[in-house]
Amino acid sequence: MELKVNKKKLSLILIGSLFLSFCATLISFYEPGFLKTNEFFRYNEFSIFTLVYRNILFTIVGLFLGCHFIFDRKELYRWIFDHRWLLGGVLLIVFTLLRMNGESITFYYENVQSRVGDASMYPVLGTFRGIRSDQFVATTPSQLASSYGTDPFGVYNEISRGTKTLNAINGIYVGFSTLAYAPWYFVYKILPFEYANSFCWYAPIILAFLFNIELFYIVSKKNRLLATMGGCLTVFSSFYMWWNFPSQWLSAPGTVVCVYYFLNNDDLKKRIVYGLGTALCFAGFVVHLYPAWQVPLGYLYLVIGIWCLYSNWDRVKKMDKKSWLLLAGCILLMCALIVSYMLNISEYSKIIMETVYPGKRVGLGGNSLYKLFLYLQQTFYPYFQFGNPCEFSTFFTLFPIPLIVAIYVLIRNKKKDFLLVGILLAILPMLVYCTIGFPEFLAKITLLSYSTAQRCVDVIGYAQIFILVILFTEYREEKRLPVWLAVVLSFGIALYCLYITMHMFPGYLRWFIKGGMCGVILVLGVVLSHKFSDRLDRFLQIALIGITLFSSVLIHPFMVGLSALTQKPVAQEIHRIVQEDPDAKWIALEGGIFFQQFVVANGASTINSLNSYPNLDLWHTLDESRQYENVYNRYAHIPATLTTEDTSFELQVEDTMLLSLSYKDMEKVNISYVITMNSENLEMDNGYAHFECLYNEYDIAIYKVTYSRS
């Protein structure tokens, strides 16, 4: 399909869009009083750098909006949908060239040599999210660490943990099994790190969005609006964005989509592509080892996969010999990828299963269904500060209205709906597990013991999106609930959502926002519960898309590059020392859980950096009697201090321990450099270690260590 273009009108709109985007950019630096407490406007200093990048972002938005005045809207959206894969690729290339990402590394701009740096160290738009510490403290510094040494992105790096550390677990590994885990990582072998980081930051989001759209396009029998709604409700959900893009929500739909198109294409070349896609996606689902989501999501997608095969069984029976051989080859590739990955991480698997934390956890469920009613408040998490939005985010699906309506129409119509019935049967045990829980034997039999109620409930929320799409597809002509019952049900759900919010988080949101959201839930719930007209159904679908986008699009800041980690004055000094003494061991002091990660991000082998799995050789050297094994035998962040007393380990929280290292034990672990945020706490006259100051600027000092020898 081609769009009809009026060239004169197009030129005017392009010029107008550029002008308006520039004006919007200038206005964005003005901060009205009512926005001064808003998280999104936390960094609003004027700079040419910020001006240019904001103008680029606003221009992209302006051009999109301007197209509505040039083209017929139906034709425009049809064209966008039909070219969705091409447009996704173009958007990915643009963000990569601009070095954009959504990292929250501005944390280092504020906390390491505070506010020393240029405009590139704070967001172009938005603010860093402290809750994303798993990303900016654990993931990004570890990925940077894996780029150093003689074998960048190889099997091991020597930077993290101060010893050989598996990049597949704690960094970036580029090898055969990477095809399953994160095939986009291969770009690290091609592009400079910052560009590759941008590519790898947006690639999973765009792919997950496209695969989910494709899956819901299949489920909705090629309804573009429903497919878009399903993709948006999933990938732009508060859940998916706050949890930083759980990979299972890419690989699981990707598997079903590739299987479907494998069966529905007779062209051998296309079947090869879809067969390879099936192998990569299924292997990806297996190797991302997080059973808390894998197990319940596996139940849901088992039903969807069986439905896909059942509804295409005639195509299965017509497959020729070449197709079966191709399928067998893809299955072999899939198995090879899984086995290769498991062998690569076997060292990690053995150690982590014997740890105190996370070790072998057994979940029994219970008391978590309330989370699915928090969609009233989650819409505002990006705008008004909230303690832990990750744990209290979900999908905006008006739960449990889709579930109730689905059961009602099934009973009323007595229709054989394999997919809907299968989804309801799949989530039924999950509903029980998340409300009253299971006895241990039943939890183990169903494998839900590997999950937790707080994670299993996320899959119940996700299943509601499928139920919504099925209702609007298979039951679009049905009246659904009587209007009086629709009103009563929706009013009750709105009140219950309000009660949950006020009971659990009484101080969050002003009364008029809560009241307004109750009204929104009531109206949308009535439209969903009772069939009024196709137009109102479309209104509901568009409203769900709009609310979901509003709740998530500003969660992550718009950052450029990684200069907050790599361009600080102390970062430059670390680089200089590492170049001169690359094998030296470092210890980072007085910086909580983040400072040591800043050090490894700049290439220094740091003994107290994040232990994604414990460095038992090191800890046993310091604790020969193994007195503290229950403390350090775990996944752990490791703040450290030096002491004149004996070395000790103190568990602070489940994943954080304090290392108090004795001066007399420093030589045991071969520490050559100490970097500290508070040099006053160093005991210079300790009788064991001598400190030579190499750098002291903006409250951070680096010391070279030599030892007294008897």
Side-chain angles (χ1 to χ4, degrees), residues 168 173-183 186 275-289 328-346:
Y173 167 63
V174 178
F176 176 67
S177 63
T178 309
L179 287 170
Y181 187 78
F186 281 92
L276 290 173
T278 302
L280 296 180
C281 289
F282 188 83
F285 184 79
V286 173
V287 303
H288 281 90
L289 299 174
C330 292
I331 292 173
L332 286 174
L333 173 61
M334 175 188 70
C335 294
L337 288 169
I338 294 171
V339 171
S340 173
Y341 182 81
M342 295 305 179
L343 289 175
N344 283 346
I345 67 163
S346 58

Side-chain angles (χ1 to χ4, degrees), residues 37-39 380-386 508-509 513:
T37 59
N38 190 298
E39 282 289 294
F380 301 95
Y381 289 165
Y383 307 97
F384 304 104
Q385 192 170 7
F386 184 80
Y508 189 63
L509 297 180
I513 296 178

Side-chain angles (χ1 to χ4, degrees), residues 336-595:
L337 288 169
I338 294 171
V339 171
S340 173
Y341 182 81
M342 295 305 179
L343 289 175
N344 283 346
I345 67 163
S346 58
E347 172 189 337
Y348 164 81
S349 301
K350 181 180 179 181
I351 294 173
I352 205 70
M353 290 302 290
E354 296 174 356
T355 58
V356 177
Y357 171 85
K360 297 179 180 179
R361 291 180 288 180
V362 177
L364 300 179
N367 195 33
S368 293
L369 204 63
Y370 70 88
K371 183 178 176 181
L372 294 181
F373 293 91
L374 292 175
Y375 50 85
L376 181 149
Q377 67 178 47
Q378 70 167 20
T379 306
F380 301 95
Y381 289 165
Y383 307 97
F384 304 104
Q385 192 170 7
F386 184 80
N388 191 344
C390 301
E391 290 291 348
F392 299 102
S393 59
T394 183
F395 300 89
F396 196 100
T397 58
L398 302 172
F399 178 86
I401 297 175
L403 186 63
I404 294 171
V405 173
I407 294 172
Y408 177 84
V409 296
L410 274 175
I411 295 173
R412 186 170 181 266
N413 291 277
K414 299 179 181 178
K415 183 177 178 180
K416 292 182 180 179
D417 192 326
F418 182 91
L419 181 57
L420 183 56
V421 171
I423 290 173
L424 293 175
L425 290 176
I427 64 174
L428 178 61
M430 300 183 206
L431 286 166
V432 177
Y433 180 75
C434 293
T435 50
I436 61 176
F438 280 178
E440 186 172 343
F441 81 92
L442 186 57
K444 288 183 175 179
I445 290 173
T446 59
L447 302 181
L448 289 175
S449 61
Y450 291 103
S451 183
T452 64
Q454 282 285 332
R455 299 293 173 265
C456 184
V457 77
D458 297 325
V459 177
I460 298 174
Y462 178 50
Q464 305 308 301
I465 303 174
F466 284 93
I467 294 173
L468 280 171
V469 172
I470 294 168
L471 286 175
F472 287 128
T473 301
E474 302 292 343
Y475 303 93
R476 59 182 179 276
E477 302 300 330
E478 301 296 329
K479 285 297 181 183
R480 303 194 274 268
L481 299 183
V483 66
W484 67 268
L485 185 55
V487 173
V488 171
L489 173 64
S490 302
F491 185 72
I493 297 301
L495 286 182
Y496 189 70
C497 288
L498 179 63
Y499 165 76
I500 291 291
T501 293
M502 295 184 68
H503 175 69
M504 295 191 65
F505 309 99
Y508 189 63
L509 297 180
R510 297 181 181 180
W511 65 268
F512 63 87
I513 296 178
K514 296 175 185 175
M517 283 304 296
C518 280
V520 169
I521 293 169
L522 173 60
V523 171
L524 297 183
V526 171
V527 174
L528 172 60
S529 303
H530 177 77
K531 170 73 177 185
F532 289 97
S533 66
D534 289 340
R535 178 174 292 183
L536 277 179
D537 277 354
R538 285 194 295 272
F539 160 77
L540 172 60
Q541 293 156 24
I542 294 169
L544 290 174
I545 293 172
I547 293 170
T548 298
L549 291 174
F550 178 79
S551 72
S552 66
V553 74
L554 300 181
I555 288 174
H556 297 281
F558 289 90
M559 288 289 300
V560 177
L562 300 170
S563 58
L565 263 175
T566 61
Q567 297 301 316
K568 287 277 188 173
V570 67
Q572 299 300 305
E573 183 64 17
I574 294 171
H575 280 294
R576 186 191 67 78
I577 296 172
V578 168
Q579 284 182 343
E580 295 177 356
D581 195 0
D583 298 324
K585 302 300 179 188
W586 294 55
I587 187 169
L589 309 177
E590 310 295 341
I593 68 171
F594 70 88
F595 188 42

